């Protein structure tokens, strides 16, 4: 077995085009370090609806140039089998973007080379830019597909590979399985032509077109007075967001300078995700110095947006709004502005969006988790997911976009400011009108993935009948699908005034449980008692569900 492991490692080394991973692998082979070689050669990094995402390093279970070249070759073969013209001036165009993580630029260039070698046209964005710019460029340039090299808000050691088709949306089944089959069919990298020239590096025209499109996000002559503190979380959002805010006429955001520029090591945060503990601490400190109206934060590839507001009861003086709260505020703002079209959300997001849409006589749909599903809602006007993702301009970007969402929430804050009100005041109004919808999450990160499978199996075999003293009125195994949803690995429990959904994360080794309670409230005076009741119920739900799942 150990001889076989060394043989597979040597065969991989013989094809590896990257000096860094070759040196890493050669050292392990020379030392016959079977312990270190086992994990990278324990299988193959699987391509799915999230594309590829994994730890950087040598071997088929890691993100590296060899894996990316195979993925690009599989995508090119898939596109050609779909009838995409190739080999002449009418060849289909593939647009490639990338973030500032380790190896991202290399992976982007390799993808461009593979597409060119396959007879397709390839165009690479001019430098590391937000993922929404890539999603915009696909539709703007009439491309047949797009690739974004990013691991979003994953740890520094990771990178990823996200695939879009010509409609500007991320891939969904069966395209993912068809592309995976073409990747598996690549026998050796020597069979993949990779010319050193022939693809195009785009200029700033595409970025300028994206920024021009942001004009459509805001209402003409709306207030633009709200003052902000902004953190790019060591990612690529700063320059694009500053340009968008300047174009719109907002005050220039005050930067969290320690996190303003791209740094693939993310030195000031344990995880470069605004939702993680401590990630926003520097932003809170800057806000205490400058007293803005709100804090806005992007994740490293700037497709997500976090928002924090002044809160004298918080220990930091600031409270980060939940994704569901921001999603609700944006929806209410769009309704006030007279938006038409479908309001869409993932099943794990708050049911409050449905109530807002119903009151406004707008269509509302729930989809599976992820913008690959949300963006495909028929006649979509607005979509969001609780994980800080918002699509506020689907005609421009058919994906979540942390830049345009930042513009829209700052417009709302400005409009409220002109009336002497705040985002929290509007949330109070919404709670009185529709009931207090309080959400929370129980998220368990594991080293051993079998623990997640065991928890899901336990819940299926012994489903809870009561949680937080509330009877479970309906238990659904989403793996069987529903009238409106395709099958997915998840469970949904409906209670009297509450809801629980549990599913394995699609991008991280986590089991995620999404909790919501709805407490009726008749007047603003009743809000404190309603919030106290909701907090108690959520605490009991967390405790009881953790027990039921054995986590």
């Amino acid at each position: 077995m150990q001889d076989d492991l060394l043989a597979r490692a040597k065969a991989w080394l013989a094809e590896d085009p990257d000096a860094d991973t070759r040196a890493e692998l050669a050292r392990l082979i020379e030392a016959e370090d079977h312990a270190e070689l086992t994990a990278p050669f324990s299988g193959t990094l699987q391509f799915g609806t999230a594309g590829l995402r994994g730890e950087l390093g040598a071997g088929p279970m890691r993100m590296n140039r060899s894996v990316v070249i195979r993925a690009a070759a599989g995508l090119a073969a898939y596109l050609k089998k779909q009838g995409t013209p190739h080999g002449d001036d009418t060849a289909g165009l593939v647009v490639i973007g990338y973030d500032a993580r380790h190896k991202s630029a290399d992976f982007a260039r390799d993808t461009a080379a593979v597409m060119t070698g396959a007879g397709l046209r390839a165009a690479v964005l001019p430098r590391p830019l937000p993922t929404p710019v890539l999603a915009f460029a696909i539709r703007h340039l009439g491309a047949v597909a797009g690739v974004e090299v990013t691991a979003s808000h994953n740890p520094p050691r990771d990178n990823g590979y996200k695939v879009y088709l010509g409609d500007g949306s991320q891939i969904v089944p069966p395209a993912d399985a068809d592309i995976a089959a073409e990747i598996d069919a690549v026998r050796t990298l020597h069979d993949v032509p990779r010319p050193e020239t022939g693809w195009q590096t785009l200029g700033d025209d595409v970025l300028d077109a994206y920024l021009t499109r942001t004009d459509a996000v805001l209402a003409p002559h709306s207030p633009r007075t709200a003052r902000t503190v902004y953190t790019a979380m060591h990612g690529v959002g700063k320059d694009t967001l500053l340009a968008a805010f300047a174009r719109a006429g907002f005050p220039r955001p005050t930067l969290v300078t320690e996190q303003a520029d791209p740094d693939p090591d993310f030195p000031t945060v344990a995880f470069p995700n605004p939702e993680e503990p401590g990630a926003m601490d520097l932003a809170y400190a800057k806000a205490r110095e400058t007293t803005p109206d709100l804090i806005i934060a992007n994740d490293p590839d700037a497709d997500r947006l976090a928002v924090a507001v002044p809160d004298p009861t918080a220990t930091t003086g600031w409270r980060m709004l939940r994704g569901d709260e921001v999603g609700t505020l944006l929806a209410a703002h769009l309704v006030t502005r007279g938006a038409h079209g479908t309001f869409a959300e993932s099943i794990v997001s708050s049911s409050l969006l449905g109530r807002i849409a119903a009151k406004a006589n707008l269509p509302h749909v729930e989809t599976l988790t992820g913008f690959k599903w949300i963006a495909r809602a028929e006649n979509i006007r607005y979509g969001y997911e609780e994980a800080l993702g918002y699509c506020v301009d689907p005609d421009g970007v058919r994906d979540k976009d942390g830049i345009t969402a930042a513009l829209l929430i700052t417009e709302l804050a400005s409009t409220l400011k002109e009336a002497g009100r705040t985002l929290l005041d509007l949330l109070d109004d919404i709670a009185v009108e529709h009931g207090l919808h309080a959400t929370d999450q129980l998220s368990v990160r594991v080293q051993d993935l079998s623990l997640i499978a065991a928890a899901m199996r336990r819940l299926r075999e012994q489903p809870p009948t009561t949680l937080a003293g509330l009877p479970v009125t309906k238990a659904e195994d989403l793996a069987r699908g529903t009238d409106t949803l395709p099958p997915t690995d998840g469970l949904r429990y409906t209670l009297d005034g509450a809801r629980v959904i549990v599913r394995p994360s699609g991008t991280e080794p986590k089991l995620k449980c999404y909790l919501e309670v709805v407490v009726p409230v008749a007047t603003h005076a009743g809000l404190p008692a309603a919030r106290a009741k909701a907090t108690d119920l959520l605490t009991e739900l967390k405790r009881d569900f953790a027990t039921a799942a054995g986590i």
Side-chain angles (χ1 to χ4, degrees):
M1 183 69 94
Q2 291 186 345
D3 289 343
D4 176 60
L5 177 62
L6 285 174
R8 284 185 284 125
K10 289 175 180 176
W12 188 271
L13 178 63
E15 288 190 345
D16 193 337
D18 188 282
D20 294 333
T21 46
R22 276 203 315 272
E24 170 195 337
L25 194 52
R27 177 179 56 79
L28 295 175
I29 291 171
E30 183 178 358
E32 297 189 0
D33 192 336
H34 299 100
E36 287 294 317
L37 286 168
T38 297
F41 287 88
S42 61
T44 302
L45 201 59
Q46 292 302 300
F47 185 93
T49 52
L52 294 167
R53 196 175 291 187
E55 187 176 342
L56 289 162
M61 282 294 289
R62 298 287 185 258
M63 282 297 297
N64 51 64
R65 290 182 61 195
S66 297
V67 164
V68 164
I69 290 166
R70 289 174 180 273
L75 174 59
Y78 167 82
L79 292 172
K80 290 161 71 172
K81 283 191 176 179
Q82 295 299 305
T84 301
H86 53 280
D88 57 28
D89 292 341
T90 69
L93 173 68
V94 178
V95 188
I96 302 145
Y98 59 103
D99 67 11
R101 285 177 177 266
H102 293 295
K103 298 292 181 182
S104 286
D106 293 337
F107 295 167
R109 284 191 293 269
D110 282 331
T111 300
V114 171
M115 296 301 160
T116 303
L120 300 168
R121 290 183 296 133
V124 183
L125 294 184
R127 58 187 172 278
L129 286 167
T131 293
V133 177
L134 181 276
F136 167 83
I138 295 166
R139 292 159 64 90
H140 177 67
L141 298 174
V144 297
V147 171
E148 177 70 18
V149 180
T150 180
S152 188
H153 53 273
N154 274 38
R157 64 178 180 273
D158 290 358
N159 212 328
Y161 197 81
K162 186 185 296 188
V163 175
Y164 298 74
L165 294 181
D167 62 355
S169 299
Q170 298 173 46
I171 55 169
V172 295
D176 57 339
D178 293 343
I179 295 169
E182 297 295 343
I183 295 171
D184 291 343
V186 178
R187 294 177 304 164
T188 169
L189 295 192
H190 301 307
D191 294 339
V192 181
R194 284 179 287 136
E196 295 185 3
T197 59
W199 62 87
Q200 176 187 7
T201 299
L202 295 167
D204 279 341
D205 291 356
V206 68
L207 177 59
D208 293 341
Y210 169 84
L211 290 169
T212 299
R213 175 68 205 181
T214 63
D215 294 347
V217 173
L218 303 177
H221 313 300
S222 62
R224 313 281 168 93
T225 56
R227 296 171 51 250
T228 56
V229 159
Y230 171 69
T231 174
M233 206 63 66
H234 297 296
V236 299
K238 180 194 72 175
D239 292 344
T240 304
L241 183 132
L242 289 180
F245 269 56
R247 182 182 183 88
F250 287 112
R252 177 183 169 88
T254 299
L255 299 179
V256 179
T257 54
E258 301 94 329
Q259 298 174 333
D261 295 320
D263 188 330
D265 294 319
F266 306 105
T268 69
V269 291
F271 287 91
N273 178 352
E275 293 181 292
E276 293 286 345
M280 295 286 284
D281 285 355
L282 289 171
Y284 296 150
K286 179 62 70 174
R288 287 193 293 272
E289 294 174 13
T290 58
T291 61
D293 298 298
L294 71 164
I295 298 170
I296 50 178
N298 288 136
D299 67 338
D301 69 326
D303 63 351
R304 288 176 171 84
L305 172 74
V307 178
V309 295
D311 183 351
T313 68
T315 55
T316 62
W318 287 79
R319 176 167 80 84
M320 191 168 115
L321 299 180
R322 292 189 172 277
D324 284 317
E325 292 176 309
V326 176
T328 295
L329 289 166
L330 293 173
H333 185 42
L334 290 171
V335 166
T336 300
R337 282 180 30 183
H340 294 285
T342 300
F343 279 26
E345 64 178 325
S346 63
I347 57 171
V348 300
S349 301
S350 174
S351 60
L352 179 53
L353 184 68
R355 297 196 183 193
I356 291 171
K359 181 76 177 289
N361 293 314
L362 294 174
H364 168 255
V365 297
E366 289 184 320
T367 74
L368 295 184
T369 305
F371 263 84
K372 57 185 174 285
W373 299 107
I374 295 170
R376 285 182 162 76
E378 185 176 353
N379 192 33
I380 183 173
R381 173 58 185 88
Y382 169 65
Y384 98 92
E385 62 181 1
E386 52 73 43
L388 309 186
Y390 315 96
C391 174
V392 302
D393 178 29
D395 289 340
V397 175
R398 198 61 63 90
D399 198 9
K400 56 185 177 291
D401 183 346
I403 305 295
T404 51
L407 289 171
L408 193 62
I409 197 71
T410 308
E411 178 187 62
L412 173 57
S414 299
T415 302
L416 292 166
K417 182 179 180 180
E418 295 295 294
R421 306 180 74 237
T422 68
L423 295 175
L424 292 181
D425 292 332
L426 180 54
L427 284 172
D428 285 351
D429 293 348
I430 293 169
V432 171
E433 183 175 4
H434 298 287
L436 177 67
H437 290 61
T439 58
D440 204 350
Q441 197 178 123
L442 174 63
S443 185
V444 181
R445 185 182 293 269
V446 300
Q447 295 292 326
D448 182 358
L449 289 176
S450 69
L451 296 176
I452 293 177
M456 294 297 288
R457 184 170 58 251
R458 174 180 173 134
L459 288 167
R460 286 187 168 104
E461 292 173 354
Q462 304 171 51
T465 56
T466 61
L467 294 166
L470 303 172
V472 176
T473 59
K474 187 177 183 182
E476 298 170 275
D477 188 344
L478 300 178
R480 301 189 180 109
T482 72
D483 292 342
T484 57
L485 297 170
T488 187
D489 187 10
L491 300 163
R492 179 165 59 185
Y493 303 96
T494 303
L495 302 93
D496 184 14
R499 185 198 67 189
V500 177
I501 298 174
V502 58
R503 69 177 186 92
S505 170
T507 57
E508 299 176 271
K510 284 183 176 181
L511 184 69
K512 302 183 102 173
C513 311
Y514 304 85
L515 318 171
E516 179 176 42
V517 299
V518 182
V519 180
V521 54
T523 66
H524 285 74
L527 281 169
R531 288 201 173 93
K533 181 178 180 180
T535 298
D536 290 344
L537 279 172
L538 286 170
T539 300
E540 292 174 30
L541 274 179
K542 273 188 178 182
R543 180 198 63 210
D544 290 358
F545 197 77
T547 300
I551 53 178

